[in-house]
Amino acid sequence: MSEIATVLDGAVDQASDRSLEESLRGIATRLAELARRPVLSLLAIELQIHALRDPVFAAHFERVKAAYHREFAQVIAKVIEHYQLRSLIPPLQLSIALHALWSGSIVQATSADALPVEDLIMLMFKTATGCDVRSPSGK
C-alpha cells in the first residue's frame, strides 16, 4: 500500500507545472495502472477480506491501512494546496473514499458499460474539491 502512495507522490511532484486536469489525469491513470496489476491489487483486496474474518490480523492490518491512508491524504493535501482548491471533506476522508473507489473498481469494474476507473477517480476528486466537473480545467 505504501508503494501506491509513494508512486502517487512522485506523480504529483512531476505534475507540479501542469494544469489541474493534466495532474489529475496523470494521478488517476497511475492508480488505474496499479489496479490492473493483479498481484498488487488483488492482494490488497484479499488482505482486506482476511482482516474481516480474522480479528487478530485485522488489528495489525488496520494500522497498516491507516498509515497508508495518512500517506495518501498527504498527497491529496499537496494537490489541494498547489492548485488552491477548497476541499469539501478533509484530505484523510477523501483518501479513504478514493481508496474505496479504487479497490471497488478492482472487483466491480468488469462490465463493459462501466466507466474507466481513472475517470471515476477524477470525477470524485473534482466533486470533493469543489471543481467544476464540466470544465476541462477543473476550475
Side-chain angles (χ1 to χ4, degrees), residues 6-80:
T6 302
V7 166
L8 293 177
D9 195 37
V12 169
D13 289 339
Q14 292 173 358
S16 63
D17 294 333
R18 298 182 190 167
S19 70
L20 174 61
E21 185 74 16
E22 291 170 325
S23 294
L24 291 179
R25 177 63 58 191
I27 292 166
T29 298
R30 193 66 184 118
L31 278 172
E33 289 168 1
L34 291 169
R36 288 188 285 272
R37 286 177 50 189
V39 172
L40 174 70
S41 59
L42 293 177
L43 181 59
I45 300 298
E46 289 168 359
L47 289 172
Q48 181 62 52
I49 291 169
H50 183 65
L52 293 172
R53 294 183 177 135
D54 183 339
V56 174
F57 176 77
H60 174 70
F61 185 68
E62 286 304 314
R63 288 190 301 274
V64 171
K65 193 166 72 169
Y68 162 75
H69 286 306
R70 286 191 305 273
E71 287 180 46
F72 191 31
Q74 290 172 347
V75 173
I76 291 169
K78 189 185 285 189
V79 172
I80 290 169

Side-chain angles (χ1 to χ4, degrees), residues 81-97:
E81 182 180 335
H82 180 76
Y83 292 102
Q84 301 175 340
L85 303 174
R86 292 182 318 227
S87 185
L88 303 175
I89 61 174
L92 181 60
Q93 294 305 311
L94 186 50
S95 169
I96 293 167

